[in-house]
Amino acid sequence: TSPCDRPVPATAGLSHDKWEIDPAELMLLEELGSGQFGVVRRGKWRGSIDTAVKMMKEGTMSEDDFIEEAKVMTKLQHQNLVQLYGVCSKHRPIYIVTEYMRHGSLLNYLRRHENTLGGNVGLLLDMCIQVCKGMAYLERHNYIHRDLAARNCLVGSENVVKVADFGLARYVLDDQYTSSGGTKFPIKWAPPEVLNYTRFSSKSDVWAYGVLMWEVFTCGKMPYGRLKNTEVVERVQRGIILEKPKNCFKEVYEVMRQCWSQFPDDRPSFRNLKEQLSVVSQGLL
Ligand SMILES: CN1CCN(C(=O)c2ccc(Nc3nc(-c4cccc(NC(=O)c5ccc(C(C)(C)C)cc5)c4)cn4ccnc34)cc2)CC1
């Protein structure tokens, strides 16, 4: 989509850099939680626009590189991506301002609503399809997420699900998170080529997407249970994959299995996954 039909309120005229948001126009409200980077609060922008504001703890990310990238990220616009509205970078800590998603992370939502969601295969499949659409858009724009998981997707009204924090992993300074040997590295969502060579691609996002599907159909269970990272690495490299979740149709599990092909080229693209999942959805429901 061309920048001129961007659905987000244009900040043109506010400052010459349209990705720069004037903090005077932000009213910070309750805390939503805290993550790797520090506190995240709900905010009102220009009195009426609901936002989430990540206040980046100093020293947690390479800020200048991120601010540069923010210009690109604000142009990524899709109904299944959490929209980046802009940044407040003229002060410290810098703020990352995005659209607000009122039901929080997909992971917590699955766990909180297991009783109602558990039996609703149609809804679970629809959530997976929404994430797939957002990821197919990123794939089309040659944009790699690097940390796709249910914890990094968010839920809005009417069970809308959107992918968040795409590409942000590149700016994390904590090498416990960035190096595959680190304690915070998302081992359980990583394919062999990432475990061995840290080789990220849209096909490594597809592997992670398969694990996200497993998270959805188990209503938020931890993949590989309480296995240690070293044990998971060993299994993944030997080609042992996650088992079919209890109430999951074999057609759905078949899609997950394709995402976990050992070689990246053998995995489907998100574009292809979108087609497969809509066929499965029509067939099953
Ligand atoms: C009824 N329930 C009550 C409890 N509840 C909430 O409190 C709640 C409601 C809405 C929430 N919404 C959002 N919450 C967040 C949020 C909150 C806490 C932490 C984070 N995430 C982070 O800080 C974070 C994410 C990713 C990364 C990597 C490693 C990938 C770079 C680093 C840090 C996000 C971001 N958002 C962006 C848009 N909307 C939200 C979050 C929580 C959910 C509803």
Side-chain angles (χ1 to χ4, degrees), residues 19 61-76 84 86-87 89 94 96 138 141-146 165-171:
W19 57 84
M61 78 186 295
S62 43
E63 292 175 351
D64 296 344
D65 297 352
F66 168 72
I67 291 159
E68 197 52 39
E69 180 66 12
K71 305 171 189 174
V72 173
M73 290 166 128
T74 51
K75 289 188 175 52
L76 294 169
L84 173 67
V87 294
S89 66
I94 62 168
I96 300 179
L138 289 182
H141 288 78
N142 300 315
Y143 211 90
I144 304 167
H145 190 297
R146 291 180 176 78
D165 300 307
F166 33 90
L168 210 52
R170 286 171 294 174
Y171 306 101

PDB file of all heavy atoms in Angstrom, residues 19 61-76 84 86-87 89 94 96 138 141-146 165-171:
ATOM      1  N   TRP A  19       7.512   9.742  11.490  1.00  0.00           N
ATOM      2  CA  TRP A  19       7.524   8.632  12.440  1.00  0.00           C
ATOM      3  C   TRP A  19       7.842   9.115  13.860  1.00  0.00           C
ATOM      4  O   TRP A  19       7.818   8.363  14.804  1.00  0.00           O
ATOM      5  CB  TRP A  19       8.548   7.572  12.008  1.00  0.00           C
ATOM      6  CG  TRP A  19       9.899   8.161  11.870  1.00  0.00           C
ATOM      7  CD1 TRP A  19      10.817   8.371  12.859  1.00  0.00           C
ATOM      8  CD2 TRP A  19      10.443   8.722  10.664  1.00  0.00           C
ATOM      9  NE1 TRP A  19      11.916   9.016  12.358  1.00  0.00           N
ATOM     10  CE2 TRP A  19      11.712   9.252  11.016  1.00  0.00           C
ATOM     11  CE3 TRP A  19      10.002   8.835   9.355  1.00  0.00           C
ATOM     12  CZ2 TRP A  19      12.529   9.879  10.096  1.00  0.00           C
ATOM     13  CZ3 TRP A  19      10.825   9.451   8.435  1.00  0.00           C
ATOM     14  CH2 TRP A  19      12.059   9.956   8.808  1.00  0.00           C
ATOM     15  N   MET A  61      18.495  -1.876  24.137  1.00  0.00           N
ATOM     16  CA  MET A  61      18.476  -2.054  22.680  1.00  0.00           C
ATOM     17  C   MET A  61      19.356  -1.024  21.994  1.00  0.00           C
ATOM     18  O   MET A  61      19.672   0.025  22.563  1.00  0.00           O
ATOM     19  CB  MET A  61      17.051  -2.006  22.145  1.00  0.00           C
ATOM     20  CG  MET A  61      16.456  -0.623  22.019  1.00  0.00           C
ATOM     21  SD  MET A  61      14.739  -0.680  21.545  1.00  0.00           S
ATOM     22  CE  MET A  61      14.814  -1.390  19.932  1.00  0.00           C
ATOM     23  N   SER A  62      19.783  -1.344  20.769  1.00  0.00           N
ATOM     24  CA  SER A  62      20.588  -0.352  20.020  1.00  0.00           C
ATOM     25  C   SER A  62      19.593   0.640  19.430  1.00  0.00           C
ATOM     26  O   SER A  62      18.949   0.402  18.405  1.00  0.00           O
ATOM     27  CB  SER A  62      21.420  -1.024  18.935  1.00  0.00           C
ATOM     28  OG  SER A  62      20.651  -1.979  18.258  1.00  0.00           O
ATOM     29  N   GLU A  63      19.446   1.743  20.123  1.00  0.00           N
ATOM     30  CA  GLU A  63      18.367   2.691  19.864  1.00  0.00           C
ATOM     31  C   GLU A  63      18.483   3.384  18.510  1.00  0.00           C
ATOM     32  O   GLU A  63      17.509   3.464  17.768  1.00  0.00           O
ATOM     33  CB  GLU A  63      18.317   3.718  21.009  1.00  0.00           C
ATOM     34  CG  GLU A  63      17.868   3.052  22.316  1.00  0.00           C
ATOM     35  CD  GLU A  63      17.925   3.983  23.513  1.00  0.00           C
ATOM     36  OE1 GLU A  63      18.476   5.092  23.365  1.00  0.00           O
ATOM     37  OE2 GLU A  63      17.422   3.597  24.579  1.00  0.00           O
ATOM     38  N   ASP A  64      19.683   3.851  18.174  1.00  0.00           N
ATOM     39  CA  ASP A  64      19.807   4.610  16.912  1.00  0.00           C
ATOM     40  C   ASP A  64      19.466   3.716  15.715  1.00  0.00           C
ATOM     41  O   ASP A  64      18.743   4.133  14.804  1.00  0.00           O
ATOM     42  CB  ASP A  64      21.221   5.185  16.764  1.00  0.00           C
ATOM     43  CG  ASP A  64      21.511   6.205  17.864  1.00  0.00           C
ATOM     44  OD1 ASP A  64      20.519   6.653  18.505  1.00  0.00           O
ATOM     45  OD2 ASP A  64      22.682   6.519  18.123  1.00  0.00           O
ATOM     46  N   ASP A  65      19.957   2.474  15.759  1.00  0.00           N
ATOM     47  CA  ASP A  65      19.646   1.543  14.660  1.00  0.00           C
ATOM     48  C   ASP A  65      18.140   1.314  14.593  1.00  0.00           C
ATOM     49  O   ASP A  65      17.539   1.290  13.524  1.00  0.00           O
ATOM     50  CB  ASP A  65      20.339   0.191  14.869  1.00  0.00           C
ATOM     51  CG  ASP A  65      21.838   0.330  14.860  1.00  0.00           C
ATOM     52  OD1 ASP A  65      22.311   1.452  14.534  1.00  0.00           O
ATOM     53  OD2 ASP A  65      22.531  -0.643  15.183  1.00  0.00           O
ATOM     54  N   PHE A  66      17.515   1.174  15.792  1.00  0.00           N
ATOM     55  CA  PHE A  66      16.069   0.912  15.806  1.00  0.00           C
ATOM     56  C   PHE A  66      15.318   2.116  15.235  1.00  0.00           C
ATOM     57  O   PHE A  66      14.398   1.976  14.430  1.00  0.00           O
ATOM     58  CB  PHE A  66      15.548   0.593  17.215  1.00  0.00           C
ATOM     59  CG  PHE A  66      14.054   0.627  17.258  1.00  0.00           C
ATOM     60  CD1 PHE A  66      13.309  -0.380  16.644  1.00  0.00           C
ATOM     61  CD2 PHE A  66      13.381   1.705  17.802  1.00  0.00           C
ATOM     62  CE1 PHE A  66      11.925  -0.326  16.605  1.00  0.00           C
ATOM     63  CE2 PHE A  66      11.994   1.770  17.757  1.00  0.00           C
ATOM     64  CZ  PHE A  66      11.266   0.756  17.161  1.00  0.00           C
ATOM     65  N   ILE A  67      15.690   3.327  15.665  1.00  0.00           N
ATOM     66  CA  ILE A  67      14.989   4.535  15.208  1.00  0.00           C
ATOM     67  C   ILE A  67      15.052   4.629  13.685  1.00  0.00           C
ATOM     68  O   ILE A  67      14.059   4.947  13.028  1.00  0.00           O
ATOM     69  CB  ILE A  67      15.572   5.795  15.882  1.00  0.00           C
ATOM     70  CG1 ILE A  67      15.210   5.794  17.377  1.00  0.00           C
ATOM     71  CG2 ILE A  67      15.064   7.076  15.216  1.00  0.00           C
ATOM     72  CD1 ILE A  67      16.096   6.657  18.241  1.00  0.00           C
ATOM     73  N   GLU A  68      16.207   4.229  13.141  1.00  0.00           N
ATOM     74  CA  GLU A  68      16.367   4.215  11.673  1.00  0.00           C
ATOM     75  C   GLU A  68      15.377   3.222  11.058  1.00  0.00           C
ATOM     76  O   GLU A  68      14.664   3.518  10.094  1.00  0.00           O
ATOM     77  CB  GLU A  68      17.812   3.820  11.340  1.00  0.00           C
ATOM     78  CG  GLU A  68      18.261   4.149   9.927  1.00  0.00           C
ATOM     79  CD  GLU A  68      17.990   5.601   9.572  1.00  0.00           C
ATOM     80  OE1 GLU A  68      18.166   6.486  10.440  1.00  0.00           O
ATOM     81  OE2 GLU A  68      17.535   5.846   8.429  1.00  0.00           O
ATOM     82  N   GLU A  69      15.287   2.056  11.670  1.00  0.00           N
ATOM     83  CA  GLU A  69      14.409   0.981  11.156  1.00  0.00           C
ATOM     84  C   GLU A  69      12.931   1.350  11.329  1.00  0.00           C
ATOM     85  O   GLU A  69      12.078   0.912  10.561  1.00  0.00           O
ATOM     86  CB  GLU A  69      14.731  -0.329  11.885  1.00  0.00           C
ATOM     87  CG  GLU A  69      13.896  -1.526  11.457  1.00  0.00           C
ATOM     88  CD  GLU A  69      14.170  -1.959  10.011  1.00  0.00           C
ATOM     89  OE1 GLU A  69      15.161  -1.483   9.427  1.00  0.00           O
ATOM     90  OE2 GLU A  69      13.365  -2.733   9.478  1.00  0.00           O
ATOM     91  N   ALA A  70      12.639   2.163  12.358  1.00  0.00           N
ATOM     92  CA  ALA A  70      11.231   2.518  12.626  1.00  0.00           C
ATOM     93  C   ALA A  70      10.588   3.157  11.400  1.00  0.00           C
ATOM     94  O   ALA A  70       9.402   2.949  11.122  1.00  0.00           O
ATOM     95  CB  ALA A  70      11.160   3.462  13.828  1.00  0.00           C
ATOM     96  N   LYS A  71      11.410   3.877  10.612  1.00  0.00           N
ATOM     97  CA  LYS A  71      10.853   4.538   9.417  1.00  0.00           C
ATOM     98  C   LYS A  71      10.277   3.484   8.465  1.00  0.00           C
ATOM     99  O   LYS A  71       9.227   3.666   7.885  1.00  0.00           O
ATOM    100  CB  LYS A  71      11.957   5.325   8.698  1.00  0.00           C
ATOM    101  CG  LYS A  71      12.651   6.322   9.608  1.00  0.00           C
ATOM    102  CD  LYS A  71      13.889   6.944   8.965  1.00  0.00           C
ATOM    103  CE  LYS A  71      14.656   7.745  10.011  1.00  0.00           C
ATOM    104  NZ  LYS A  71      15.938   8.269   9.499  1.00  0.00           N
ATOM    105  N   VAL A  72      10.999   2.341   8.372  1.00  0.00           N
ATOM    106  CA  VAL A  72      10.519   1.254   7.495  1.00  0.00           C
ATOM    107  C   VAL A  72       9.305   0.586   8.133  1.00  0.00           C
ATOM    108  O   VAL A  72       8.290   0.330   7.489  1.00  0.00           O
ATOM    109  CB  VAL A  72      11.658   0.204   7.299  1.00  0.00           C
ATOM    110  CG1 VAL A  72      11.149  -1.002   6.539  1.00  0.00           C
ATOM    111  CG2 VAL A  72      12.860   0.857   6.635  1.00  0.00           C
ATOM    112  N   MET A  73       9.392   0.355   9.444  1.00  0.00           N
ATOM    113  CA  MET A  73       8.333  -0.412  10.136  1.00  0.00           C
ATOM    114  C   MET A  73       6.985   0.311  10.079  1.00  0.00           C
ATOM    115  O   MET A  73       5.947  -0.324   9.962  1.00  0.00           O
ATOM    116  CB  MET A  73       8.733  -0.648  11.593  1.00  0.00           C
ATOM    117  CG  MET A  73       9.891  -1.624  11.766  1.00  0.00           C
ATOM    118  SD  MET A  73      10.536  -1.526  13.444  1.00  0.00           S
ATOM    119  CE  MET A  73      10.491  -3.238  13.921  1.00  0.00           C
ATOM    120  N   THR A  74       7.029   1.645  10.124  1.00  0.00           N
ATOM    121  CA  THR A  74       5.735   2.368  10.105  1.00  0.00           C
ATOM    122  C   THR A  74       5.033   2.167   8.760  1.00  0.00           C
ATOM    123  O   THR A  74       3.817   2.339   8.661  1.00  0.00           O
ATOM    124  CB  THR A  74       5.922   3.885  10.329  1.00  0.00           C
ATOM    125  OG1 THR A  74       6.911   4.354   9.428  1.00  0.00           O
ATOM    126  CG2 THR A  74       6.324   4.201  11.754  1.00  0.00           C
ATOM    127  N   LYS A  75       5.806   1.761   7.737  1.00  0.00           N
ATOM    128  CA  LYS A  75       5.191   1.580   6.416  1.00  0.00           C
ATOM    129  C   LYS A  75       4.584   0.194   6.258  1.00  0.00           C
ATOM    130  O   LYS A  75       3.853  -0.071   5.313  1.00  0.00           O
ATOM    131  CB  LYS A  75       6.236   1.803   5.311  1.00  0.00           C
ATOM    132  CG  LYS A  75       6.637   3.271   5.176  1.00  0.00           C
ATOM    133  CD  LYS A  75       7.512   3.504   3.964  1.00  0.00           C
ATOM    134  CE  LYS A  75       7.802   4.987   3.788  1.00  0.00           C
ATOM    135  NZ  LYS A  75       8.326   5.594   5.036  1.00  0.00           N
ATOM    136  N   LEU A  76       4.935  -0.728   7.194  1.00  0.00           N
ATOM    137  CA  LEU A  76       4.355  -2.088   7.128  1.00  0.00           C
ATOM    138  C   LEU A  76       2.966  -2.006   7.735  1.00  0.00           C
ATOM    139  O   LEU A  76       2.822  -1.781   8.947  1.00  0.00           O
ATOM    140  CB  LEU A  76       5.239  -3.074   7.905  1.00  0.00           C
ATOM    141  CG  LEU A  76       6.631  -3.296   7.295  1.00  0.00           C
ATOM    142  CD1 LEU A  76       7.525  -4.065   8.272  1.00  0.00           C
ATOM    143  CD2 LEU A  76       6.521  -4.051   5.968  1.00  0.00           C
ATOM    144  N   LEU A  84       2.745   0.010  13.984  1.00  0.00           N
ATOM    145  CA  LEU A  84       3.654   0.945  14.655  1.00  0.00           C
ATOM    146  C   LEU A  84       3.222   2.352  14.258  1.00  0.00           C
ATOM    147  O   LEU A  84       3.238   2.685  13.066  1.00  0.00           O
ATOM    148  CB  LEU A  84       5.105   0.693  14.235  1.00  0.00           C
ATOM    149  CG  LEU A  84       6.122   1.714  14.756  1.00  0.00           C
ATOM    150  CD1 LEU A  84       6.261   1.635  16.281  1.00  0.00           C
ATOM    151  CD2 LEU A  84       7.487   1.497  14.109  1.00  0.00           C
ATOM    152  N   GLY A  86       4.635   5.196  15.666  1.00  0.00           N
ATOM    153  CA  GLY A  86       5.846   6.017  15.620  1.00  0.00           C
ATOM    154  C   GLY A  86       6.660   5.877  16.894  1.00  0.00           C
ATOM    155  O   GLY A  86       6.383   5.024  17.726  1.00  0.00           O
ATOM    156  N   VAL A  87       7.660   6.749  16.997  1.00  0.00           N
ATOM    157  CA  VAL A  87       8.537   6.711  18.176  1.00  0.00           C
ATOM    158  C   VAL A  87       8.691   8.109  18.756  1.00  0.00           C
ATOM    159  O   VAL A  87       8.553   9.105  18.040  1.00  0.00           O
ATOM    160  CB  VAL A  87       9.942   6.161  17.806  1.00  0.00           C
ATOM    161  CG1 VAL A  87       9.861   4.707  17.387  1.00  0.00           C
ATOM    162  CG2 VAL A  87      10.591   7.011  16.718  1.00  0.00           C
ATOM    163  N   SER A  89      11.695   9.841  20.110  1.00  0.00           N
ATOM    164  CA  SER A  89      13.143   9.552  20.218  1.00  0.00           C
ATOM    165  C   SER A  89      13.953  10.777  20.618  1.00  0.00           C
ATOM    166  O   SER A  89      15.174  10.717  20.648  1.00  0.00           O
ATOM    167  CB  SER A  89      13.646   9.036  18.870  1.00  0.00           C
ATOM    168  OG  SER A  89      13.554  10.086  17.919  1.00  0.00           O
ATOM    169  N   ILE A  94      13.446   6.152  25.117  1.00  0.00           N
ATOM    170  CA  ILE A  94      12.625   6.365  23.930  1.00  0.00           C
ATOM    171  C   ILE A  94      11.329   5.581  24.094  1.00  0.00           C
ATOM    172  O   ILE A  94      11.276   4.587  24.826  1.00  0.00           O
ATOM    173  CB  ILE A  94      13.339   5.930  22.620  1.00  0.00           C
ATOM    174  CG1 ILE A  94      13.659   4.442  22.615  1.00  0.00           C
ATOM    175  CG2 ILE A  94      14.559   6.766  22.349  1.00  0.00           C
ATOM    176  CD1 ILE A  94      14.097   3.950  21.231  1.00  0.00           C
ATOM    177  N   ILE A  96       8.197   3.540  22.105  1.00  0.00           N
ATOM    178  CA  ILE A  96       7.705   2.934  20.870  1.00  0.00           C
ATOM    179  C   ILE A  96       6.190   2.914  20.979  1.00  0.00           C
ATOM    180  O   ILE A  96       5.642   2.330  21.929  1.00  0.00           O
ATOM    181  CB  ILE A  96       8.237   1.491  20.684  1.00  0.00           C
ATOM    182  CG1 ILE A  96       9.768   1.491  20.618  1.00  0.00           C
ATOM    183  CG2 ILE A  96       7.645   0.863  19.432  1.00  0.00           C
ATOM    184  CD1 ILE A  96      10.387   0.102  20.463  1.00  0.00           C
ATOM    185  N   LEU A 138       4.348  -9.954   5.689  1.00  0.00           N
ATOM    186  CA  LEU A 138       5.769  -9.698   5.990  1.00  0.00           C
ATOM    187  C   LEU A 138       6.649 -10.437   4.980  1.00  0.00           C
ATOM    188  O   LEU A 138       7.617  -9.879   4.461  1.00  0.00           O
ATOM    189  CB  LEU A 138       6.117 -10.144   7.422  1.00  0.00           C
ATOM    190  CG  LEU A 138       5.561  -9.300   8.569  1.00  0.00           C
ATOM    191  CD1 LEU A 138       6.050  -9.847   9.915  1.00  0.00           C
ATOM    192  CD2 LEU A 138       5.977  -7.834   8.438  1.00  0.00           C
ATOM    193  N   HIS A 141       6.971  -8.741   1.837  1.00  0.00           N
ATOM    194  CA  HIS A 141       7.842  -7.555   1.945  1.00  0.00           C
ATOM    195  C   HIS A 141       9.247  -7.928   2.393  1.00  0.00           C
ATOM    196  O   HIS A 141      10.005  -7.082   2.861  1.00  0.00           O
ATOM    197  CB  HIS A 141       7.219  -6.528   2.903  1.00  0.00           C
ATOM    198  CG  HIS A 141       6.016  -5.839   2.314  1.00  0.00           C
ATOM    199  ND1 HIS A 141       4.788  -6.456   2.251  1.00  0.00           N
ATOM    200  CD2 HIS A 141       5.852  -4.635   1.724  1.00  0.00           C
ATOM    201  CE1 HIS A 141       3.924  -5.652   1.660  1.00  0.00           C
ATOM    202  NE2 HIS A 141       4.557  -4.535   1.324  1.00  0.00           N
ATOM    203  N   ASN A 142       9.579  -9.241   2.261  1.00  0.00           N
ATOM    204  CA  ASN A 142      10.918  -9.720   2.644  1.00  0.00           C
ATOM    205  C   ASN A 142      11.325  -9.258   4.034  1.00  0.00           C
ATOM    206  O   ASN A 142      12.456  -8.837   4.274  1.00  0.00           O
ATOM    207  CB  ASN A 142      11.969  -9.237   1.634  1.00  0.00           C
ATOM    208  CG  ASN A 142      11.641  -9.757   0.265  1.00  0.00           C
ATOM    209  OD1 ASN A 142      11.308 -10.935   0.114  1.00  0.00           O
ATOM    210  ND2 ASN A 142      11.656  -8.873  -0.729  1.00  0.00           N
ATOM    211  N   TYR A 143      10.351  -9.323   4.936  1.00  0.00           N
ATOM    212  CA  TYR A 143      10.586  -8.887   6.316  1.00  0.00           C
ATOM    213  C   TYR A 143      10.533 -10.119   7.215  1.00  0.00           C
ATOM    214  O   TYR A 143       9.534 -10.836   7.228  1.00  0.00           O
ATOM    215  CB  TYR A 143       9.523  -7.863   6.750  1.00  0.00           C
ATOM    216  CG  TYR A 143      10.041  -6.865   7.756  1.00  0.00           C
ATOM    217  CD1 TYR A 143      10.622  -5.675   7.331  1.00  0.00           C
ATOM    218  CD2 TYR A 143      10.000  -7.137   9.114  1.00  0.00           C
ATOM    219  CE1 TYR A 143      11.125  -4.762   8.253  1.00  0.00           C
ATOM    220  CE2 TYR A 143      10.498  -6.240  10.038  1.00  0.00           C
ATOM    221  CZ  TYR A 143      11.061  -5.052   9.604  1.00  0.00           C
ATOM    222  OH  TYR A 143      11.562  -4.161  10.510  1.00  0.00           O
ATOM    223  N   ILE A 144      11.625 -10.389   7.961  1.00  0.00           N
ATOM    224  CA  ILE A 144      11.702 -11.573   8.814  1.00  0.00           C
ATOM    225  C   ILE A 144      11.366 -11.161  10.242  1.00  0.00           C
ATOM    226  O   ILE A 144      11.870 -10.145  10.729  1.00  0.00           O
ATOM    227  CB  ILE A 144      13.124 -12.182   8.766  1.00  0.00           C
ATOM    228  CG1 ILE A 144      13.519 -12.492   7.322  1.00  0.00           C
ATOM    229  CG2 ILE A 144      13.200 -13.444   9.618  1.00  0.00           C
ATOM    230  CD1 ILE A 144      15.005 -12.808   7.143  1.00  0.00           C
ATOM    231  N   HIS A 145      10.533 -11.954  10.929  1.00  0.00           N
ATOM    232  CA  HIS A 145      10.127 -11.613  12.296  1.00  0.00           C
ATOM    233  C   HIS A 145      11.252 -11.906  13.284  1.00  0.00           C
ATOM    234  O   HIS A 145      11.658 -11.063  14.069  1.00  0.00           O
ATOM    235  CB  HIS A 145       8.867 -12.382  12.688  1.00  0.00           C
ATOM    236  CG  HIS A 145       8.260 -11.913  13.979  1.00  0.00           C
ATOM    237  ND1 HIS A 145       8.910 -12.004  15.190  1.00  0.00           N
ATOM    238  CD2 HIS A 145       7.081 -11.314  14.252  1.00  0.00           C
ATOM    239  CE1 HIS A 145       8.157 -11.505  16.140  1.00  0.00           C
ATOM    240  NE2 HIS A 145       7.054 -11.062  15.599  1.00  0.00           N
ATOM    241  N   ARG A 146      11.789 -13.132  13.282  1.00  0.00           N
ATOM    242  CA  ARG A 146      12.871 -13.625  14.133  1.00  0.00           C
ATOM    243  C   ARG A 146      12.419 -14.023  15.532  1.00  0.00           C
ATOM    244  O   ARG A 146      13.208 -14.598  16.276  1.00  0.00           O
ATOM    245  CB  ARG A 146      14.021 -12.612  14.237  1.00  0.00           C
ATOM    246  CG  ARG A 146      14.802 -12.441  12.954  1.00  0.00           C
ATOM    247  CD  ARG A 146      15.930 -11.426  13.146  1.00  0.00           C
ATOM    248  NE  ARG A 146      16.759 -11.317  11.955  1.00  0.00           N
ATOM    249  CZ  ARG A 146      16.395 -10.624  10.875  1.00  0.00           C
ATOM    250  NH1 ARG A 146      15.208 -10.022  10.836  1.00  0.00           N
ATOM    251  NH2 ARG A 146      17.191 -10.560   9.810  1.00  0.00           N
ATOM    252  N   ASP A 165       5.803  -6.862  17.246  1.00  0.00           N
ATOM    253  CA  ASP A 165       7.255  -6.830  17.472  1.00  0.00           C
ATOM    254  C   ASP A 165       8.072  -7.506  16.381  1.00  0.00           C
ATOM    255  O   ASP A 165       9.146  -8.037  16.654  1.00  0.00           O
ATOM    256  CB  ASP A 165       7.566  -7.448  18.847  1.00  0.00           C
ATOM    257  CG  ASP A 165       6.879  -6.671  19.950  1.00  0.00           C
ATOM    258  OD1 ASP A 165       7.055  -5.437  20.001  1.00  0.00           O
ATOM    259  OD2 ASP A 165       6.108  -7.274  20.721  1.00  0.00           O
ATOM    260  N   PHE A 166       7.570  -7.444  15.147  1.00  0.00           N
ATOM    261  CA  PHE A 166       8.300  -8.059  14.031  1.00  0.00           C
ATOM    262  C   PHE A 166       9.606  -7.286  13.814  1.00  0.00           C
ATOM    263  O   PHE A 166       9.635  -6.064  13.783  1.00  0.00           O
ATOM    264  CB  PHE A 166       7.437  -8.060  12.764  1.00  0.00           C
ATOM    265  CG  PHE A 166       6.507  -6.884  12.634  1.00  0.00           C
ATOM    266  CD1 PHE A 166       6.913  -5.740  11.994  1.00  0.00           C
ATOM    267  CD2 PHE A 166       5.244  -6.910  13.211  1.00  0.00           C
ATOM    268  CE1 PHE A 166       6.070  -4.641  11.889  1.00  0.00           C
ATOM    269  CE2 PHE A 166       4.394  -5.822  13.118  1.00  0.00           C
ATOM    270  CZ  PHE A 166       4.807  -4.678  12.459  1.00  0.00           C
ATOM    271  N   GLY A 167      10.703  -8.049  13.736  1.00  0.00           N
ATOM    272  CA  GLY A 167      12.008  -7.438  13.444  1.00  0.00           C
ATOM    273  C   GLY A 167      12.692  -6.807  14.635  1.00  0.00           C
ATOM    274  O   GLY A 167      13.882  -6.485  14.568  1.00  0.00           O
ATOM    275  N   LEU A 168      11.956  -6.679  15.749  1.00  0.00           N
ATOM    276  CA  LEU A 168      12.515  -5.980  16.918  1.00  0.00           C
ATOM    277  C   LEU A 168      13.704  -6.728  17.519  1.00  0.00           C
ATOM    278  O   LEU A 168      14.620  -6.135  18.085  1.00  0.00           O
ATOM    279  CB  LEU A 168      11.414  -5.817  17.968  1.00  0.00           C
ATOM    280  CG  LEU A 168      11.460  -4.620  18.912  1.00  0.00           C
ATOM    281  CD1 LEU A 168      11.612  -3.314  18.159  1.00  0.00           C
ATOM    282  CD2 LEU A 168      10.197  -4.588  19.767  1.00  0.00           C
ATOM    283  N   ALA A 169      13.702  -8.058  17.343  1.00  0.00           N
ATOM    284  CA  ALA A 169      14.747  -8.897  17.957  1.00  0.00           C
ATOM    285  C   ALA A 169      16.146  -8.451  17.528  1.00  0.00           C
ATOM    286  O   ALA A 169      17.106  -8.599  18.283  1.00  0.00           O
ATOM    287  CB  ALA A 169      14.513 -10.349  17.574  1.00  0.00           C
ATOM    288  N   ARG A 170      16.250  -7.864  16.329  1.00  0.00           N
ATOM    289  CA  ARG A 170      17.567  -7.458  15.815  1.00  0.00           C
ATOM    290  C   ARG A 170      18.212  -6.376  16.669  1.00  0.00           C
ATOM    291  O   ARG A 170      19.404  -6.141  16.582  1.00  0.00           O
ATOM    292  CB  ARG A 170      17.432  -6.909  14.389  1.00  0.00           C
ATOM    293  CG  ARG A 170      17.190  -7.940  13.332  1.00  0.00           C
ATOM    294  CD  ARG A 170      16.843  -7.276  12.011  1.00  0.00           C
ATOM    295  NE  ARG A 170      15.550  -6.584  12.125  1.00  0.00           N
ATOM    296  CZ  ARG A 170      15.056  -5.816  11.150  1.00  0.00           C
ATOM    297  NH1 ARG A 170      15.736  -5.639  10.031  1.00  0.00           N
ATOM    298  NH2 ARG A 170      13.884  -5.226  11.308  1.00  0.00           N
ATOM    299  N   TYR A 171      17.399  -5.669  17.476  1.00  0.00           N
ATOM    300  CA  TYR A 171      17.938  -4.507  18.206  1.00  0.00           C
ATOM    301  C   TYR A 171      18.142  -4.770  19.690  1.00  0.00           C
ATOM    302  O   TYR A 171      18.518  -3.889  20.440  1.00  0.00           O
ATOM    303  CB  TYR A 171      17.032  -3.291  17.967  1.00  0.00           C
ATOM    304  CG  TYR A 171      16.874  -3.064  16.498  1.00  0.00           C
ATOM    305  CD1 TYR A 171      15.721  -3.467  15.823  1.00  0.00           C
ATOM    306  CD2 TYR A 171      17.939  -2.590  15.737  1.00  0.00           C
ATOM    307  CE1 TYR A 171      15.623  -3.349  14.457  1.00  0.00           C
ATOM    308  CE2 TYR A 171      17.855  -2.472  14.366  1.00  0.00           C
ATOM    309  CZ  TYR A 171      16.698  -2.861  13.724  1.00  0.00           C
ATOM    310  OH  TYR A 171      16.606  -2.763  12.364  1.00  0.00           O
TER     311      TYR A 171
END
